[in-house]
Amino acid sequence: MAEEVVDVKKITTYKDKYYINKYSLPEFIQELEDMEVREDDTFVVTYPKSGTHWMQEVVNLILVDGHASKLFASNRRVIEAADIASPTPELLAASGPTLRQMKNAPSPRVLTTHIQYPLLPKQIREKGCKVIYVYRHPKDVITSYFNFNRKLLKVECGKEAPDTPANFAMFFSDAMEGKIAYGSWMDHVLQYSKEKDNENYLFVSFEAMKADLRRVVMDVASFIGHSLDGEAVKRVIQAASIESMRAAFAKEKEEAQKGNSNRKFDTTIFVNKGKVGQWQSRFTTEQNKYFDKLFEEKMKDCDLVKDYRPNEDSSV
């Protein structure tokens, strides 16, 4: 029997150049570019599956001194996407991007996006907003992104795409060509890395969060100008654990199903194990060699990701 091959990528194009989330429309991205920002806004920016919701949770928890009960569904959104379970054109147009729901949110706001650097709100540069960029080992990103898109199909149509080498090979090929939502990881990181010396940007790796979350919490708190005492730091770390986030997101899902929440998208699929090095059981030898060659060609001058450069331990 032939192996079922399912295209799991979800993309829409913007300006015939940028690949964006299928839960967005081109007019949503234009609205994002032109949005009114505030000087005390903090933007959490990531390429998908790089620790987005983890950092989003950390920043929001810092602002409430670790009191998780003060967080709501509106704190866990990607602003350029619609908050719906099925991205039909009609539902997308009716819902609009979640950034509209943040317009009247009290300051300071935490705004999360995956958007490519050239498409950031223009006023970020004008008003000097704080931007936290989180990045992760690209091979783990591709592995996690594939798994996520498989689950996303189940949310949309009730059937998860088979976890097969053929399906992963197709996704890997698209990722290498940048033909997935938000384009190439390498292009995304390279564009943002130009701001590495900008005092309004803080760059944090996913691996640093895994290794020493307390240090990251302190660095982020200092960066956004919010002081925390020792007990508050402990609360943030506890509430930002995988177990606590999974419970919080599950409660959100339960409330939505009861009709007590405006949250329409199942956010539990965003909380995974977050393992480091998971790519090693997924990439073939050929895929690994191809990736390493392209990485060396494109990222050789990017010091931000020097720890991800191929070495003797990168073989599979």
Side-chain angles (χ1 to χ4, degrees), residues 240-251:
S241 69
I242 296 297
E243 295 76 15
S244 295
M245 287 180 59
R246 186 174 288 121
F249 283 39
K251 182 180 179 181

Side-chain angles (χ1 to χ4, degrees), residues 98-147:
T98 57
L99 67 89
R100 292 178 190 169
Q101 301 170 33
M102 299 296 290
K103 284 184 178 179
N104 297 319
S107 293
R109 299 182 302 182
V110 180
L111 304 166
T112 303
T113 180
H114 297 308
I115 206 66
Q116 295 93 323
Y117 179 76
L119 304 180
L120 276 175
K122 301 178 182 71
Q123 290 188 8
I124 286 182
R125 302 169 183 87
E126 298 168 10
K127 296 191 176 180
C129 301
K130 298 293 187 182
V131 178
I132 301 172
Y133 187 83
V134 186
Y135 57 100
R136 182 184 186 185
H137 196 300
K139 294 178 185 178
D140 280 339
V141 168
I142 291 173
T143 301
S144 182
Y145 207 168
F146 169 71
N147 292 333

